[in-house]
Amino acid sequence: MRSLLNRFFAWFTFKHPLQPTVLILLIIFALTYQFGFNIKYFLVGLGLWSLVEYLLHRFIFHAIHFKEPYKSMATELHMLHHKDVTVDKFTIAPFFVTLFLSGIIFLVLLFFIKKVALTTQVLTGIYLGYAIYEWVHYWTHNLKFNFFGKKHHLYHHFKNPKSNFGVTSPIWDYLFGTKKG
């Protein structure tokens, strides 16, 4: 069973952010074609991304205290990333994890927004935020020079994994008291 699972992962694992970005852009275009585009809802989604990123990273990807079967596959994959930050296939989220989590995000948004078209328009902004996140996260681990956010994220990896959950923005770490370093 584990071998079959490993082969499944291989098809949905990326080593560079261009791969999920292309898929995300295709999904955004398809959803925009189907449900329309409203810049206001798109920007709300883009703004929401940093909160979504923070919550996922803190409460799903670091949910190591849960036992099977409640520990998520996303948690296990993220812990592999922490074990060796140089492995690119663990730096970029596997696409099946992204699709599964985006389905949950869609349902949560739909609960609050109540309209499928508006929810989808917000989701397209979140998707763009996710694509930007993958680039920033990849650069954080692969570029030699310092840039905004690199110190913040690497502190999370090498000093205190219970802090600095924001990758694209530290704002939620400041607001929720998890900013360190």
Side-chain angles (χ1 to χ4, degrees), residues 17 19 33 35 37 48 77 95 100-101 109 117 127 131 156 167-168:
Q19 296 161 304
Y33 179 78
F35 295 100
F37 180 79
L48 270 176
L77 291 169
F95 205 65
F100 177 77
L101 291 174
L109 289 171
Y127 281 163
H156 168 79
V167 175
T168 57

Side-chain angles (χ1 to χ4, degrees), residues 8-164:
F8 178 76
F9 284 147
W11 283 98
F12 294 96
T13 303
F14 304 125
K15 294 183 180 182
H16 193 276
L18 184 60
Q19 296 161 304
T21 299
V22 168
L23 289 173
I24 287 295
L25 290 176
L26 289 173
I27 291 170
I28 288 172
F29 288 130
L31 292 175
T32 299
Y33 179 78
Q34 181 67 35
F35 295 100
F37 180 79
N38 182 309
I39 189 69
K40 178 174 71 174
Y41 294 111
F42 179 82
L43 291 175
V44 165
L46 188 57
L48 270 176
W49 166 253
S50 67
L51 177 60
V52 169
E53 170 194 321
Y54 177 88
L55 294 173
L56 286 173
H57 193 178
R58 182 174 181 185
F59 297 110
I60 302 297
F61 301 158
H62 281 267
I64 57 175
H65 56 280
F66 290 123
K67 300 288 184 222
E68 297 294 343
Y70 304 105
K71 183 186 289 186
S72 75
M73 192 177 300
T75 303
E76 292 184 25
L77 291 169
H78 187 71
M79 289 301 105
L80 289 171
H81 172 59
H82 270 266
K83 186 176 179 180
D84 188 352
V85 297
T86 65
V87 179
D88 286 340
K89 73 179 182 178
F90 298 131
T91 301
I92 308 297
F95 205 65
F96 71 91
V97 171
T98 300
L99 289 178
F100 177 77
L101 291 174
S102 74
I104 293 171
I105 293 165
F106 175 80
L107 292 174
V108 169
L109 289 171
L110 185 60
F111 177 80
F112 290 105
I113 298 172
K114 307 283 189 235
K115 296 182 179 179
V116 171
L118 299 182
T119 300
T120 304
Q121 291 170 9
V122 171
L123 192 65
T124 60
I126 289 174
Y127 281 163
L128 181 61
Y130 162 71
I132 293 167
Y133 158 83
E134 288 294 14
W135 283 96
V136 171
H137 191 229
Y138 180 82
W139 289 334
T140 299
H141 290 289
N142 290 284
L143 294 181
K144 301 295 181 208
F145 65 88
N146 264 335
F147 62 91
F148 173 79
K150 183 171 183 163
K151 179 182 173 189
H152 177 79
H153 183 62
L154 293 182
Y155 186 92
H156 168 79
H157 273 282
F158 298 111
K159 301 270 188 195
N160 185 354
K162 294 180 180 180
S163 68
N164 298 15

